[in-house]
Amino acid sequence: MDLTDRRLLREPADPAPRRVANRELQLLALSWLAPVGILLIWEAASRAGLITAQVLPAPSSVARTAWNLISSGELPKHLGASLLRAVAGFAIGGTIGFILGVLVGFSRVAEALLDRSIQMIRAIPSLALLPLVIVWFGVDESGKIFLVSLAVLFPIYINTVLSIRQVDPKLLELARVTGLSRLETVRRIILPGAMPSILTGVRYSLATAWLAPVIAETIATTRGIGFLAMDAREFLQTNVIILTILIYAAIGVGPTVLPGIWNAVCWPGIQITRKGAANECA
């Protein structure tokens, strides 16, 4: 071993990655501070009698209700039905939205043919479509999945179109100078450069896919979190209503995490700069 190798062995490791990791852990803990604090204050106010149980049950009471519903099998049944509708609607609507977004993003002719109609449909409230959906699909699962798919389609479509149109022109010029083919330009320049905006659409669509069944489950159904909340309203079961709200809030955290994990797994060699340009890691 020569002198250079010994000097390299004695050099301390770069502490920057460790500092960044510690910083991320601190920010993660800080992000949960407010929700946990709200629950603690809520519990204390309920125990002190400042909030009546009929208006807002204590978190401990809601937790007992959750445990009872889990033990009886009611909550898993309703939760599974809602998740199945959300997943099916997200898969169908997300696929259609992405394909339409790619077509409109790359083709001005497709934009002229499709974009105005899509934007007009996007402006129609889901509640206004309920009577027509019942006429088309009846009261079975297909109508509910249709509503979820329709709600999911638009965020992914809009973000896909904008992300393709807003790729840095300098990167496209670089692709032309280096002689990349059209396919290689799409694979190595456009898709990585568009990925941050597409993932934003995916994140929003995941939340929409989970919230859309609330409206869809008002169509003659006996299963689902939306049905559970509506049924609890009829019997003034405030603790069950609060439980369904907390379930929506808890699962709503997923859309902020899953797209980042997907990006890290599927695009491990891509670093996204603040300007949205994509660089391949060495």
Side-chain angles (χ1 to χ4, degrees):
M1 181 180 296
D2 58 17
L3 184 59
T4 303
D5 294 333
R6 293 176 182 177
R7 187 182 299 112
L8 289 174
L9 290 176
R10 288 197 299 266
E11 288 180 355
D14 184 8
R18 183 176 299 177
R19 287 200 301 267
V20 172
N22 292 336
R23 179 64 174 171
E24 291 297 326
L25 289 175
Q26 292 172 1
L27 292 176
L28 178 62
L30 186 62
S31 68
W32 285 100
L33 182 61
V36 173
I38 290 173
L39 287 177
L40 293 176
I41 295 172
W42 176 8
E43 179 72 26
S46 298
R47 290 182 180 274
L50 300 177
I51 304 176
T52 61
Q54 189 61 35
V55 174
L56 194 64
S60 56
S61 175
V62 176
R64 286 193 297 270
T65 301
W67 176 252
N68 293 333
L69 290 175
I70 292 173
S71 301
S72 65
E74 284 294 308
L75 188 57
K77 179 184 71 174
H78 293 296
L79 184 59
S82 292
L83 286 175
L84 183 60
R85 292 166 186 148
V87 170
F90 178 80
I92 296 172
T95 301
I96 296 174
F98 180 74
I99 293 173
L100 291 175
V102 171
L103 288 175
V104 173
F106 282 110
S107 173
R108 292 291 182 180
V109 176
E111 179 183 13
L113 289 174
L114 300 173
D115 186 66
R116 190 173 302 278
S117 299
I118 293 174
Q119 296 298 340
M120 292 173 67
I121 297 173
R122 185 174 71 92
I124 302 175
S126 298
L127 288 174
L129 290 174
L130 275 179
L132 190 59
V133 169
I134 294 175
V135 172
W136 283 353
F137 301 100
V139 295
D140 59 1
E141 290 297 310
S142 56
K144 302 173 182 63
I145 294 175
F146 172 80
L147 287 174
V148 176
S149 302
L150 195 63
V152 166
L153 184 151
F154 301 115
I156 293 183
Y157 165 78
I158 292 172
N159 281 272
T160 301
V161 173
L162 292 178
S163 63
I164 292 174
R165 295 281 175 84
Q166 294 175 355
V167 172
D168 193 345
K170 295 180 180 179
L171 294 176
L172 299 178
E173 181 64 26
L174 177 63
R176 284 192 291 268
V177 170
T178 55
L180 291 180
S181 65
R182 182 65 173 172
L183 182 60
E184 284 294 310
T185 301
V186 171
R187 186 180 69 85
R188 302 184 62 180
I189 301 295
I190 296 179
L191 282 183
M195 193 54 58
S197 184
I198 293 176
L199 288 178
T200 300
V202 171
R203 182 179 292 112
Y204 186 77
S205 293
L206 283 171
T208 303
W210 175 237
L211 297 178
V214 177
I215 297 175
E217 286 167 357
T218 60
I219 304 176
T221 185
T222 57
R223 292 188 303 169
I225 298 298
F227 166 79
L228 186 63
M230 296 298 177
D231 188 61
R233 181 197 63 183
E234 296 295 330
F235 296 96
L236 299 178
Q237 296 174 323
T238 314
N239 51 351
V240 177
I241 297 175
I242 297 298
L243 174 61
T244 59
I245 293 173
L246 292 178
I247 290 173
Y248 282 120
I251 296 182
V253 176
T256 64
V257 177
L258 293 179
I261 297 175
W262 183 85
N263 186 34
V265 172
C266 296
W267 301 87
I270 299 298
Q271 292 180 337
I272 305 300
T273 66
R274 293 183 180 180
K275 293 183 179 180
N279 300 311
E280 286 192 307
C281 296

